[in-house]
C-alpha cells in the first residue's frame, strides 16, 4: 500500500493487486467488525453458567474435544476473521491473568458491540461511544470494589475458599462431585502457597490423569506422581525412608565423541572388553551405594547389564523420567540433580518418607508415588474417572480453573456475588451515573449498563427460565432493597439471594472481565478502514 498525491495535492492510496483486495471504509467497516465480534460471542453465550451447554470440537487430525471452558473453545476453533481473532485473544488474556471467567468476558464484549451498533445507527460517532464506555467501565469497577466483601480464611478454616471454587466447578462437566474436587484444589493451593507474600506458584501443582475408576477416586498426593515403574520387575515395589539419587547421566559405558570402530579379532580381546564394561557398571552402581542412595531416578536409559546389576545389588531404579518431572522431584525431595557420577555426594540425595509403585485395574499400567517428602512444597492432583481421555482432559481444565480461583483469593481476599448479581448491581450503578454526564457520552454509558444485563440474561436463558421476566424481577428486587446479592436462581433452589446459595466469584476476576471487554470493544470501534485479501 502506498500513499500518492494528485496534481491538486489530494492524497489517494495505491494498492498492490487492487482487484484482489476488498476494502471497507467508515461505518461499513465498523458494522462488519461488530458483526464478526457478535458472531463469536453468540457461540459462547450458550455455554455460560451452571446449566450451560458444552461444545464439541473436532481438530484437523480427527481428535475430538468436549469442553465448557471459553478459552479452550476459542483456542480450538479455526477463526479466519481478524476481529474474531481479537475475541480469541481476549479470552486467552483473561485465562492467563485470572484463569476463570473466560466465557463471561467474551459474552460481555459481544453485548457491548451489540449496543455500540445501535448507537452507531443513531448517528453517534464511534469515538464518543468508546469514551462513554471507558467512563462507564470506571464506574462499574469502582462499584464492584464497593459491593465486594472481604473474606477471612486461614490454613485451618478454608471453607470460604472451597465455596468459591465450587461456584467455578458448578458450570463444568464434573459438577456432581464439585465438593470433593474443590476441597482438593484448595488443599493443593494452600500446600504450595506462601501466605506471607500472598503468592502461589501454580507450577508446583502437577495435574495427572489416568482413564478408569470413578471421579470420586481423584486424590491429592503430597508429593510427586511419576508415570513410570521400576526398571526391573523383581525390584522392591515399596521403599520406606528413601534416599534418592537424581541423575541426568546414563548408565552406559562412555563413548568416544569421534566416529569409531573397534576391531576385535580374538576371544580374549572380547573378554577384556566385556570385563572392562562390567567393571565400569560395577563402579557406577557401587558409587550410588556408597553415598547411601536407596533409589536411583535417571533421566536416560540403562544398559541391560546395568539393570541386572542394580537389581542384584538391591538398588531399585527408575529410568526415562522426563526433565520437568525430575525438577519437581528435586524440589519436593530437597535433592540436587547430578549430571555426573563423580559428583555424587550424600548431601545431594533427596529424601522421601515413602516411594511406592501402584498398579491400576487389570492393565499393566503402573505409577510411582513419591510421598512424605522433605520439602512438601510440590503436590500432585491425580484425576481418575471417565471412560475416555476427553473426560480426563476436561476435568484437568476444570481443576485448573478452580486452582486459579483459589490462587486469586489468596492474592486478594475480596469476593463479589455470582449468578449475575454483580453485573446487575453494576448495571444499576452505571445507569444512575449516566445522568451526571451532559454530553453525547451518556447514551453510550446507558448502553454499557444495558450490556451488563446481558450476562444475567444469558444465565437465565441457559437455565430454561423466562429471561426478561426473571431479569426484571431480580433487578427490581435489587433496586427496592438496595442489596447487591440478588442474582439469577440458575439451580432452581428457590431463593435469589446468592449469599444463601453460596455463589461467589473473585473481585479481581470480575473487574478484569469488565476492563478487558471494554478495552477490546474500544479497539474494534476505532477501526474505520479494513483492507483485506478478497476470497477467491
Amino acid at each position: 500500500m502506498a500513499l500518492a498525491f494528485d496534481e491538486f495535492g489530494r492524497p489517494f492510496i495505491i494498492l498492490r493487486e487492487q482487484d484482489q483486495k476488498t476494502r471497507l471504509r467508515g461505518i461499513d467497516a465498523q458494522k462488519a467488525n461488530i458483526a464478526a465480534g457478535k458472531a463469536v460471542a453468540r457461540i459462547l453465550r450458550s455455554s455460560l453458567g451452571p446449566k450451560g451447554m458444552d461444545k464439541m470440537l473436532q481438530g484437523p487430525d480427527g481428535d475430538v474435544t468436549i469442553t465448557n471452558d471459553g478459552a479452550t473453545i476459542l483456542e480450538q476453533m479455526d477463526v479466519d476473521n481478524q476481529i474474531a481473532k481479537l475475541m480469541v485473544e481476549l479470552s486467552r488474556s483473561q485465562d492467563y491473568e485470572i484463569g476463570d471467567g473466560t466465557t463471561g468476558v467474551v459474552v460481555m464484549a459481544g453485548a457491548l458491540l451489540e449496543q455500540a451498533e445501535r448507537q452507531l445507527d443513531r448517528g453517534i460517532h464511534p469515538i464518543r461511544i468508546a469514551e462513554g464506555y471507558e467512563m462507564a467501565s470506571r464506574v462499574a469497577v469502582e462499584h464492584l470494589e464497593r459491593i465486594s466483601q472481604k473474606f477471612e480464611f486461614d490454613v485451618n478454616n478454608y471453607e470460604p475458599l472451597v465455596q468459591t471454587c465450587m461456584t467455578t466447578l458448578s458450570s463444568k462437566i464434573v459438577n456432581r462431585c464439585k465438593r470433593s474436587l474443590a476441597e482438593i484444589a484448595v488443599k493443593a493451593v494452600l500446600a504450595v502457597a506462601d501466605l506471607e507474600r500472598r503468592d502461589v506458584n501454580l507450577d508446583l501443582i502437577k495435574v495427572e490423569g489416568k482413564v478408569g475408576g470413578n471421579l470420586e477416586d481423584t486424590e491429592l498426593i503430597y508429593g510427586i506422581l511419576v508415570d513410570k515403574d521400576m526398571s526391573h520387575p523383581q525390584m522392591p515395589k515399596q521403599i520406606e525412608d528413601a534416599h534418592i539419587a537424581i541423575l541426568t547421566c546414563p548408565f552406559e559405558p562412555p563413548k568416544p565423541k569421534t566416529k569409531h570402530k573397534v576391531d576385535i579379532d580374538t576371544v580374549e580381546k572380547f573378554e577384556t572388553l566385556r570385563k572392562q564394561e562390567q567393571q565400569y557398571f560395577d563402579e557406577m552402581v557401587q558409587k550410588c551405594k556408597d553415598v547411601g542412595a536407596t533409589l536411583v531416578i535417571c533421566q536416560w536409559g540403562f544398559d541391560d547389564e546395568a539393570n541386572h546389576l542394580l537389581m542384584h545389588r538391591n538398588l531399585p531404579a527408575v529410568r526415562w523420567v522426563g526433565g520437568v518431572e525430575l525438577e519437581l522431584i528435586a524440589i519436593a525431595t530437597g535433592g540436587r540433580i547430578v549430571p555426573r557420577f563423580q559428583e555424587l555426594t550424600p548431601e545431594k540425595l533427596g529424601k522421601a518418607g515413602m516411594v511406592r509403585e501402584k498398579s491400576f485395574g487389570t492393565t499393566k499400567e503402573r505409577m510411582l508415588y513419591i510421598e512424605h517428602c522433605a520439602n512438601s512444597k510440590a503436590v500432585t492432583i491425580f484425576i481418575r474417572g471417565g471412560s475416555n481421555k476427553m473426560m480426563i482432559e476436561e476435568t484437568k481444565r476444570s481443576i485448573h480453573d478452580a486452582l486459579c480461583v483459589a490462587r486469586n483469593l489468596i492474592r486478594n481476599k475480596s469476593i463479589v456475588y455470582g449468578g449475575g448479581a454483580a453485573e446487575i448491581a453494576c448495571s444499576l450503578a452505571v445507569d444512575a451515573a449516566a445522568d451526571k454526564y451532559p454530553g453525547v457520552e451518556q447514551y453510550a454509558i446507558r448502553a454499557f449498563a444495558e450490556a451488563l444485563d446481558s450476562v444475567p440474561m444469558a444465565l437465565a436463558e441457559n437455565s430454561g427460565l423466562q429471561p426478561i421476566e426473571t431479569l426484571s424481577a431480580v433487578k427490581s428486587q435489587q433496586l427496592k432493597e438496595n442489596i447487591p446479592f440478588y442474582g439469577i436462581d440458575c439451580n432452581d433452589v428457590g431463593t435469589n439471594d446468592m449469599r444463601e446459595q453460596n455463589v461467589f466469584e473473585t473481585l479481581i476476576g470480575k473487574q478484569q472481565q469488565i476492563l478487558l471487554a471494554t478495552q477490546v470493544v474500544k479497539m474494534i470501534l476505532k477501526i474505520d478502514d479494513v483492507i483485506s485479501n478478497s476470497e477467491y
Side-chain angles (χ1 to χ4, degrees):
M1 196 168 94
L3 192 63
F5 296 91
D6 61 8
E7 62 269 30
F8 300 112
R10 289 177 304 207
F12 61 91
I13 290 174
I14 300 168
L15 287 179
R16 272 178 61 208
E17 299 157 353
Q18 174 89 42
D19 53 335
Q20 291 174 16
K21 296 265 196 281
T22 52
R23 184 170 183 201
L24 286 171
R25 307 180 61 172
I27 200 87
D28 288 340
Q30 272 134 0
K31 285 278 176 72
N33 291 344
I34 286 172
K38 274 164 55 182
V40 174
R42 207 171 300 124
I43 294 169
L44 284 195
R45 194 185 162 98
S46 63
S47 62
L48 192 70
K51 297 273 197 292
M53 298 296 185
D54 291 358
K55 304 278 180 260
M56 188 173 190
L57 302 142
Q58 187 170 13
D61 43 1
D63 51 337
V64 176
T65 310
I66 299 175
T67 178
N68 186 290
D69 183 41
T72 312
I73 295 170
L74 289 181
E75 198 106 341
Q76 307 255 353
M77 256 167 45
D78 201 10
V79 181
D80 273 346
N81 186 294
Q82 294 308 316
I83 298 297
K85 281 185 183 161
L86 278 179
M87 300 296 256
V88 177
E89 290 291 327
L90 165 70
S91 81
R92 193 181 295 158
S93 58
Q94 174 82 11
D95 198 26
Y96 284 166
E97 190 62 33
I98 303 296
D100 185 38
T102 47
T103 315
V105 73
V106 178
V107 172
M108 177 77 203
L112 285 172
L113 287 171
E114 204 169 313
Q115 292 297 333
E117 195 170 18
R118 291 182 195 168
Q119 304 299 317
L120 288 171
D121 289 342
R122 286 181 180 171
I124 299 175
H125 194 279
I127 292 296
R128 303 303 288 270
I129 300 174
E131 281 172 1
Y133 276 0
E134 180 66 33
M135 294 169 186
S137 72
R138 238 174 281 145
V139 172
V141 167
E142 282 166 16
H143 187 66
L144 279 174
E145 195 81 57
R146 274 200 297 281
I147 65 168
S148 68
Q149 293 200 334
K150 276 278 183 284
F151 229 49
E152 289 312 318
F153 60 85
D154 54 44
V155 181
N156 304 319
N157 171 30
Y158 50 77
E159 185 58 31
L161 286 172
V162 175
Q163 295 290 353
T164 318
C165 286
M166 277 164 65
T167 304
T168 301
L169 292 173
S170 61
S171 67
K172 305 281 191 264
I173 209 164
V174 295
N175 59 1
R176 68 186 171 89
C177 48
K178 60 182 179 186
R179 171 88 214 181
S180 60
L181 288 180
E183 281 184 8
I184 284 173
V186 169
K187 283 178 186 165
V189 169
L190 286 175
V192 302
D194 185 344
L195 291 175
E196 302 292 300
R197 284 182 31 229
R198 292 222 156 149
D199 186 32
V200 179
N201 182 2
L202 285 183
D203 290 342
L204 294 175
I205 302 173
K206 193 161 163 251
V207 184
E208 282 280 347
K210 261 266 186 284
V211 173
N214 299 331
L215 258 176
E216 285 80 3
D217 296 340
T218 300
E219 55 181 336
L220 175 66
I221 298 155
Y222 289 99
I224 302 294
L225 192 63
V226 187
D227 197 354
K228 295 275 178 270
D229 52 0
M230 296 294 182
S231 61
H232 198 291
Q234 290 172 344
M235 285 177 180
K237 300 282 179 266
Q238 188 165 327
I239 306 157
E240 287 179 16
D241 193 21
H243 291 67
I244 305 171
I246 306 166
L247 305 175
T248 53
C249 42
F251 268 87
E252 284 172 2
K255 293 185 174 71
K257 287 282 184 284
T258 54
K259 286 201 169 148
H260 59 287
K261 191 167 145 225
V262 181
D263 279 333
I264 297 176
D265 44 17
T266 64
V267 179
E268 285 77 25
K269 280 185 184 170
F270 179 75
E271 276 297 316
T272 319
L273 188 71
R274 207 181 67 84
K275 278 209 179 100
Q276 195 68 42
E277 264 193 14
Q278 202 168 356
Q279 187 190 343
Y280 190 78
F281 288 138
D282 238 2
E283 280 170 14
M284 281 178 172
V285 176
Q286 198 50 48
K287 182 75 183 149
C288 295
K289 291 286 281 186
D290 288 346
V291 292
T294 54
L295 172 67
V296 175
I297 292 181
C298 186
Q299 191 175 7
W300 306 107
F302 307 152
D303 207 295
D304 286 345
E305 183 95 17
N307 204 4
H308 180 74
L309 258 170
L310 283 164
M311 202 275 298
H312 265 283
R313 294 283 181 86
N314 243 342
L315 186 56
V318 187
R319 56 183 163 187
W320 300 119
V321 178
V324 181
E325 288 165 332
L326 269 188
E327 280 180 27
L328 274 174
I329 292 170
I331 292 170
T333 59
R336 300 281 293 278
I337 296 175
V338 181
R340 280 202 295 272
F341 282 98
Q342 290 78 18
E343 293 174 16
L344 256 177
T345 59
E347 299 81 63
K348 289 184 180 174
L349 297 181
K351 291 183 179 57
M354 165 84 77
V355 177
R356 60 196 170 95
E357 189 179 290
K358 188 173 173 183
S359 54
F360 297 102
T362 54
T363 58
K364 284 210 181 74
E365 297 203 337
R366 291 192 285 273
M367 289 179 108
L368 208 62
Y369 284 56
I370 302 174
E371 296 170 300
H372 312 304
C373 303
N375 169 18
S376 63
K377 272 288 187 207
V379 296
T380 305
I381 296 174
F382 182 46
I383 298 167
R384 297 303 307 278
S387 52
N388 54 16
K389 200 87 176 104
M390 284 180 290
M391 181 73 185
I392 296 282
E393 290 304 315
E394 179 59 2
T395 310
K396 277 188 186 177
R397 283 190 283 271
S398 310
I399 289 260
H400 173 259
D401 279 13
L403 290 173
C404 289
V405 167
R407 180 199 65 173
N408 293 337
L409 272 178
I410 285 175
R411 277 166 51 182
N412 180 347
K413 287 185 179 178
S414 306
I415 53 126
V416 290
Y417 286 86
E423 280 88 352
I424 296 173
C426 284
S427 167
L428 292 170
V430 171
D431 219 3
D435 300 335
K436 296 179 191 155
Y437 295 95
V440 182
E441 283 85 2
Q442 67 168 294
Y443 288 105
I445 294 173
R446 287 217 168 80
F448 192 95
E450 222 164 296
L452 277 165
D453 284 343
S454 71
V455 173
M457 187 99 98
L459 282 173
E461 217 170 281
N462 293 344
S463 307
L465 306 167
Q466 292 290 332
I468 294 173
E469 281 175 33
T470 314
L471 178 63
S472 45
V474 172
K475 212 166 178 181
S476 64
Q477 202 175 358
Q478 275 213 22
L479 253 179
K480 253 190 250 145
E481 303 181 24
N482 196 15
I483 297 176
F485 307 145
Y486 293 121
I488 306 290
D489 178 17
C490 297
N491 293 328
D492 227 5
V493 180
T495 169
N496 283 339
D497 192 336
M498 292 294 138
R499 280 178 304 182
E500 280 179 43
Q501 286 203 29
N502 284 329
V503 178
F504 313 124
E505 294 187 55
T506 55
L507 169 69
I508 44 179
K510 262 290 166 263
Q511 286 180 330
Q512 193 76 10
Q513 267 186 10
I514 290 176
L515 289 171
L516 284 174
T518 313
Q519 291 286 322
V520 166
V521 171
K522 274 176 65 184
M523 192 161 34
I524 293 173
L525 285 176
K526 284 186 175 178
I527 300 168
D528 77 329
D529 199 340
V530 181
I531 299 168
S532 53
N533 288 329
S534 68
E535 319 229 327
Y536 296 111

